[in-house]
Amino acid sequence: MSSSPHDDHQPAALPPPRVEEVSDGVYAYVQPDGSWWINNTGFLAGRRGVVVIDACSTERRTRAFREAIGKVSDRPITTLVNTHHHGDHTFGNWLFPEATIVGHEGVREQIIADGMPAYRAAWSPEVEWGRLELAPPFLTFTDRITLHSDDLRCEVRHVGHAAHTTNDSYVWIPERRLLFSGDLVFNGGTPFVLMGSVAGTLQALEQLSELGAETVVPGHGEVCGPEAYEPVAAYLRFVQETARRGRQAGLTPLEAARESDLGEWAGLLDSERIVGNLHRAYAELDGQPLGAPIDVVTAVLDMITYNGGRPLSCLA
């Protein structure tokens, strides 16, 4: 029998976001508990200006992020890097009007194509999105771009294929052995590859492993080290195996999820993502190219069904 998705996700338990200095002048902005729409960001506080890595999902959360930056540095925010297009990392872009917004060409294209996506309605109606304006990157790259915070080199590298999405990049600071992974890494939450690729994310994790990072700021969850890669990879291999068994049994992704025991993965936040991940894994079993368009609306509705017909839990 399947493991029941948990819905004991109550807002009273959430601690406030915090700034964590992960290297000299380099900060992670960690937002517990890292579940739906609650992401991590970061910034580098240089002598001449501040480089920011990702925005937040709501107006309130992004304004709080800006206030936290201001308590660390009085320098202007010169640059905002988007690791991928998802709204938890980009909806707040518009609140950085003074900054050059940098991202992969696919980030700009997808933000413009999606607009303010209707699938936001799938999450809890209590979410206070606030004012939202489209603000896609206007300095784009195809492979990689290098930024400098004073003399500190920051390499923004596209993974080269679909992974968490079709347009993921990470920020690698080689001098500090420090990685901002974006959503290629979830620490304590269920990885989500519906809009990307299961196989592609496994390849991306191999790419990250070759960097030799000592400190990793994941897209969601606590700051960690490279030991966080393997749980993500193991979960994705579980998704692939579940998809193979489900396909052989003639089950839909939703049926396969319901028939599966999540086992060691049952305790991860947002366990209903198994359904969306299986939709993607089925597409790959069918020979679809990595990241090929699939029916996202149906997949999200199936996640809601798996969740007991309730909107997906979100405390943003």
Side-chain angles (χ1 to χ4, degrees):
M1 289 297 289
S2 65
S3 299
S4 299
H6 57 272
D7 63 348
D8 301 325
H9 201 196
Q10 300 301 323
L14 288 191
R18 69 180 188 277
V19 173
E20 182 175 334
E21 188 168 17
V22 290
S23 186
D24 185 27
V26 184
Y27 301 84
Y29 184 71
V30 180
Q31 296 196 96
D33 58 2
S35 56
W36 286 117
W37 298 96
I38 303 177
N39 65 309
N40 294 333
T41 62
F43 62 98
L44 294 85
R47 293 185 301 272
R48 297 183 59 189
V50 176
V51 176
V52 173
I53 302 169
D54 282 329
C56 305
S57 58
T58 68
E59 180 179 3
R60 175 180 60 83
R61 283 185 174 270
T62 304
R63 289 192 185 279
F65 177 35
R66 284 206 59 135
E67 290 176 7
I69 295 170
K71 292 177 181 178
V72 173
S73 174
D74 62 358
R75 300 295 86 194
I77 296 172
T78 61
T79 312
L80 167 61
V81 178
N82 287 151
T83 59
H84 61 290
H85 78 277
H86 280 164
D88 50 340
H89 298 257
T90 63
F91 280 172
N93 280 2
W94 70 277
L95 288 165
F96 296 87
E98 73 277 46
T100 299
I101 307 177
V102 179
H104 185 263
E105 285 188 353
V107 176
R108 176 178 173 84
E109 292 168 1
Q110 200 62 55
I111 288 175
I112 292 172
D114 286 353
M116 288 301 166
Y119 60 68
R120 283 186 295 124
W123 282 268
S124 305
E126 293 81 11
V127 178
E128 296 179 6
W129 298 100
R131 181 179 172 187
L132 298 177
E133 296 182 12
L134 283 186
F138 54 88
L139 176 61
T140 61
F141 61 92
T142 56
D143 177 35
R144 65 179 64 190
I145 193 169
T146 301
L147 305 173
H148 291 84
S149 176
D150 299 332
D151 297 325
L152 188 60
R153 180 185 181 92
C154 307
E155 300 176 5
V156 187
R157 303 181 184 180
H158 178 53
V159 298
H161 50 74
H164 171 65
T165 68
T166 57
N167 49 65
D168 299 283
S169 297
Y170 53 86
V171 181
W172 169 233
I173 306 176
E175 180 181 327
R176 307 290 178 82
R177 317 309 297 172
L178 173 59
L179 174 68
F180 285 85
S181 70
D183 283 2
L184 298 171
V185 179
F186 287 78
N187 184 20
T190 304
F192 191 50
V193 296
L194 170 61
M195 299 178 189
S197 167
V198 185
T201 303
L202 287 166
Q203 294 173 23
L205 290 168
E206 292 178 2
Q207 189 179 140
L208 296 185
S209 296
E210 294 170 358
L211 294 173
E214 295 176 359
T215 304
V216 178
V217 181
H220 298 258
E222 295 296 318
V223 174
C224 53
E227 71 279 354
Y229 304 157
E230 178 52 31
V232 177
Y235 171 81
L236 294 174
R237 292 191 292 267
F238 164 76
V239 170
Q240 289 178 322
E241 179 58 30
T242 302
R244 281 191 288 270
R245 291 199 310 268
R247 249 306 180 236
Q248 290 172 357
L251 303 176
T252 67
L254 175 58
E255 290 168 340
R258 284 174 159 170
E259 290 295 321
S260 297
D261 184 350
L262 293 179
E264 63 184 296
W265 315 115
L268 295 178
L269 294 170
D270 308 317
S271 59
E272 66 273 9
R273 291 176 181 169
I274 182 64
V275 187
N277 292 332
L278 286 171
H279 272 268
R280 176 55 65 183
Y282 271 47
E284 292 177 9
L285 284 175
D286 291 342
Q288 294 288 331
L290 302 188
I294 63 175
D295 188 346
V296 170
V297 172
T298 295
V300 170
L301 290 174
D302 279 353
M303 285 195 293
I304 291 173
T305 301
Y306 181 85
N307 201 40
R310 300 175 298 275
L312 303 180
S313 176
C314 178
L315 307 180

